[in-house]
Amino acid sequence: MIRFLFHRLVFQALPTLFVLAALSFLLVRLAPGSPFASERELPPQTLEALNRAYGLDQPMPVQFFRYIGGVLRGDFGPSLRMPGRTVSELILAKLPVSLELGFWSLLYAIFVGLTLGILAAVKPNGFGDYSAMTLALLGICIPAMVMGPVLALVFGLWLDWLPVMGWHTPADRILPVITLGSTYASYIARLARGGMLEELTRDYIRTARSKGLTEAGILVKNALRGGVQPVVSFLGPAAAGLLTGAFVVEQIFFIPGLGETIVNAALNRDQFVILGCVLLFGAFMVFFNTLVDVGLALLNPKIRMTAGRKAKHEG
Amino acid sequence: MKGRGPESFSLRRDAWNRLIRNRMAVAGLLLLLLMAGACVIGPWISPYTYYEQDLFNTNAPPDRAHWLGTDELGRDLLTRILVGGRISFAVALAATLVSLVIGVTYGGISGYVGGKTDAVMMRIVDVLYALPFTLFVILLITLFERNILLLFVAIGAVEWLTMARIVRGQVMGLRRQEFIEACQVLGYSQARTLFKHVLPNVLGTILVYVTLTIPGVMLLEAFLSFLGLGVQPPMSSWGSLIKEGVALMEDAPGQMLAPSIALSLTLFALNFLGDGLRDALDPRRSEGAK
């Protein structure tokens, strides 16, 4: 397992992050137009002084490695639009809120998705299956930007049951989490249903049935382990989607998260802020994908063995 | 072309028959055609434009003159939704086309050539897969002047990865078949074999995946426009219309609901059509997979 993890980190996680950093840094620095360009033409001396102050007059490789060196020490550079503020402090101020929203939404999606998926797989083409899959279809075809306002309108403004603004009390979390998590709950429900149905056709399940084990016991103790594997693989992309999807939900429910920072940076062309966010999200994704791989290896001894052999072979 | 025998024709007809027997798929197809048709033709026959303001008649409820009412600036909402639909469909088609061209070519070459080339090409895809690509699109928007053309090139340029993987898998399976070996024996060039003989056989799979890509691209465009990073006012798109509607939700919920319904209906239609196509083109997998 340790060898597997080591292999995964050295040969996949680090190169991915490096490529991401190099690619986005090059894009930012080679893009036409100075980061300081605005409606008002700046005199060339001012531009030169600005470039020197931010180290942008150095050769590209020097700039790049200086930037990477800074990132490794937790310094994502200065904001080019808000003098005196660093990208790190801009991000850190808002990140916890977005992470919390993403975390609850992921939990909600897993819980609801698995429940619906397993329910559907118990009796394929039965009433439970149709209801669960209809719900899943609704969740997929009604994106967060539609579901959020509709939920806010019905449960907030018309029925006045739940708050629709802010991020203070636990009740504030309910509608945003449902809005953000429902699409992913739907995908998880579909994947869980497919995975469970496939697992239930296997020989060992037939053996378990012939031994007279109860159907519920088989479902939870035997089939679930194999059946959730597609769901676990999906958690990597899901986590990434939740993080960016949160921007829309934050706007709808007036939640002070990272989305506003990123949108404003994009509108103001504050390049280092966006660059920092790209790297941060990339690191999250790599972290999550590694976690998912570990989870899959724990669930499935086959993966564990081939991964170990591959690691031995390559390393 | 002589090579296309009666066999492949009947296979295609077979798939078509399966598709039109699927009631949900047909409903999806009709709904999609209706939507697209209305968006293309509607703005021409509408007496209003998407930018014309009427400040004496703002936030009007639906009536004879304005079927869906007017917005905050007195612009006809129906016309704005139809024009926004044009944007959504155009972006979806263009970005899907870009991703199609890149993905099919890349995946085709990777799967057909195989060996070390394949390993390197797929490793690159693996690395790109792990990038936070929505943010990457936002980064691209930040760097260049915002315009719609750039938007869909950027989306298309990041959406080709899955297509490349799928095509590669299919091509690898076909590479060892007799009719491909026959092409090689006949001395056809690699490119001719790949594009004329291998890829046409992957068409079904590609078509299914295209119907899955289109809603994804549509949602991404709506996402960006909702955040104010997509189309710029006074131009409308479903994402920006929903955003404008949300601000007025309390007094005029219709302005939020109408574009929302348009977006969701289109997604429903594409979903049903996609499911139907998958079942029709790949009958083996239709059991259980839903």
Side-chain angles (χ1 to χ4, degrees), chain A residues 5-6 9 39 59 74 78 83-84 100 110 112 150 162-163 166-167 189 195 202 206 208 211 236 245 254 268 279-280:
Chain A
L5 204 61
F6 177 77
L9 280 177
E39 289 89 59
E100 198 200 325
I110 293 174
V112 172
V150 171
L162 289 165
W167 192 249
R202 290 187 196 271
R206 201 169 36 186
K211 284 201 306 190
F254 300 93
N268 295 327
L279 289 187
L280 187 74

Side-chain angles (χ1 to χ4, degrees), chain A residues 11 16 20 27 32 130 137-138 141 143 145-146 149 153 193 244 248 251 263 269 274 277-278 281-282 285, chain B residues 123 130-132 135 139 142-145 219 222-223 227 242-243 246 249 256 260 264 267-268 271-272 288 290:
Chain A
F11 290 99
T16 304
L20 175 63
L27 261 173
Y130 276 116
L137 183 69
L138 280 174
C141 295
M145 77 182 68
V146 173
L153 191 66
R193 176 184 182 272
T244 39
V248 165
Q251 288 226 345
V263 171
R269 311 184 79 194
I274 300 284
C277 292
V278 171
F281 278 47
M285 282 182 68
Chain B
R123 195 72 193 83
L131 304 186
L135 267 180
L139 181 75
T142 316
L143 296 178
F144 301 95
E145 287 303 317
L219 272 176
F223 171 82
L227 293 177
I242 294 174
K243 160 102 174 178
V246 168
M249 203 161 64
M256 179 270 290
S260 299
S264 280
L267 291 175
F268 267 113
N271 246 291
F272 284 131
K290 200 171 181 183

